[in-house]
Amino acid sequence: MSPPESVRVEVDGVGLNVALRGPEGAPAVVFLHGFPLSHRMWEPQMRTLEARWRIVAPDLRGMGGSDVGDGQYAIDLYADDLFAVLDHLGLADVVACGLSMGGYVLLRALEREPGRFRAAVLADTRSTADDDEARLKRVAAVRALKRKGAETYARQFVEIVLGRTTLAERPELVDWVRATIAAADVLGLSGAQLAMAARTDTTDVLAGLDIPVLVVVGKEDELTPRDLAGDMADALPDGRLAVIPRAGHLSNLENPEAFDRALVRFLEEVAPPPLAGPGAQR
Ligand code: MLT
């Protein structure tokens, strides 16, 4: 196991914190976190993969250890940041895994520069844009964030984002998610909400993706439910679907064992490490 490392990548004066793990030169897996979290949501997956894959996990601007900058964001700006991180690290032909908002960024990156990716994992996300109701909710959320702060927002958000099993049985995870959101920067979160409100529909992109794509969804996810994930998997030329039991919208954190089983099986197929090292999960 490699010690945790990180690198700072500057994009137009905004410093992006990028966590790195695993052997350099091993097939790279890039993790894009969901709103309003950070690369730390991928800790279980980093632990599972780090013996055999190179892990790259940036904090999106405005969240985690990345700078907030001016708070004016767009999904395309996050995609530009992703490209800058890949260029800085000299990485091509990566597998990328995006959860929810990370999935929105990944879908747009796949649409714009598909040649950078050899495979993708789309977890608890959707290709459709916001409808009018969803946009108005985001504007209300921005107003509430500015008036009441991130702590009040965090209390409400955990009830929506986590599955019923987690809410009933995993108080430590509920507390961690709540505390992480409460500590986040209001300007960063507001900018992310407005970027998501303005995102484009990438549904038509799915049929043209000629790479393997694993679609993952928590069985108890009410934000991006199973049927939606099934539709995405069906629209992909080489799509597969993994439904994670006892998990809501943060399926990788709520049931890491099941999530990692699906992820490792997929990575073994699409980006196998040259040699299995100690602790390899075959
Ligand atoms: C996320 O988990 O990234 C967000 O809930 C996505 C969204 O608000 O659409």
Side-chain angles (χ1 to χ4, degrees):
M1 242 179 294
S2 55
E5 309 166 51
S6 65
V7 69
R8 218 155 169 90
V9 179
E10 289 279 327
V11 185
D12 297 333
V14 173
L16 301 173
N17 177 54
V18 185
L20 301 169
R21 303 269 178 90
E24 260 184 88
V29 185
V30 181
F31 285 103
L32 299 172
H33 64 81
F35 171 89
L37 300 170
S38 75
H39 78 274
R40 293 198 51 221
M41 70 168 285
W42 298 112
E43 282 296 343
Q45 287 65 46
M46 295 199 279
R47 277 197 297 276
T48 298
L49 301 185
E50 68 186 343
R52 298 196 299 141
W53 281 275
R54 179 68 168 165
I55 295 150
V56 177
D59 288 333
L60 299 180
R61 59 171 66 205
M63 288 183 259
S66 290
D67 292 345
V68 174
D70 60 10
Q72 296 188 354
Y73 310 148
I75 294 296
D76 277 306
L77 204 59
Y78 298 118
D80 286 345
D81 289 347
L82 169 62
F83 299 149
V85 168
L86 296 178
D87 290 344
H88 180 90
L89 297 171
L91 293 173
D93 205 29
V94 301
V95 181
C97 170
L99 184 136
S100 197
M101 179 182 170
Y104 306 158
V105 176
L106 177 54
L107 278 163
R108 187 66 182 142
L110 286 163
E111 179 176 11
R112 285 176 50 193
E113 302 200 14
R116 290 180 181 267
F117 304 94
R118 76 158 78 172
V121 182
L122 296 169
D124 301 284
T125 194
R126 63 171 79 222
S127 57
T128 50
D130 275 7
D131 59 16
D132 199 44
E133 189 187 341
R135 279 202 188 105
L136 289 172
K137 273 193 191 154
R138 293 197 196 277
V139 172
V142 169
R143 201 175 301 119
L145 269 166
K146 291 191 172 164
R147 280 191 193 149
K148 299 185 189 153
E151 204 163 326
T152 306
Y153 184 77
R155 273 201 298 279
Q156 292 160 354
F157 196 75
V158 286
E159 302 289 333
I160 305 166
V161 83
L162 296 170
R164 58 180 181 278
T165 305
T166 304
L167 289 170
E169 297 178 14
R170 300 212 35 211
E172 76 300 338
L173 180 58
V174 178
D175 283 348
W176 183 83
V177 174
R178 188 188 295 122
T180 303
I181 302 170
D185 187 280
V186 166
L187 187 59
L189 300 192
S190 306
Q193 281 286 16
L194 296 177
M196 289 191 281
R199 75 185 188 279
T200 53
D201 192 308
T202 49
T203 306
D204 287 349
V205 177
L206 299 174
L209 287 179
D210 59 356
I211 54 171
V213 181
L214 174 65
V215 180
V216 185
V217 65
K219 198 170 177 187
E220 300 171 11
D221 185 346
E222 290 183 5
L223 286 179
T224 48
R226 190 216 171 285
D227 285 358
L228 210 100
D231 290 347
M232 283 203 296
D234 288 346
L236 288 155
D238 188 1
R240 308 102 197 262
L241 179 67
V243 181
I244 308 299
R246 299 170 62 80
H249 190 61
L250 302 182
S251 59
N252 73 304
L253 279 172
E254 296 182 62
N255 189 343
E257 296 79 13
F259 188 98
D260 290 0
R261 264 196 304 279
L263 180 61
V264 169
R265 198 179 315 124
F266 183 66
L267 291 176
E268 293 278 9
E269 181 196 329
V270 300
L275 286 172
Q281 298 189 356
R282 283 206 185 262

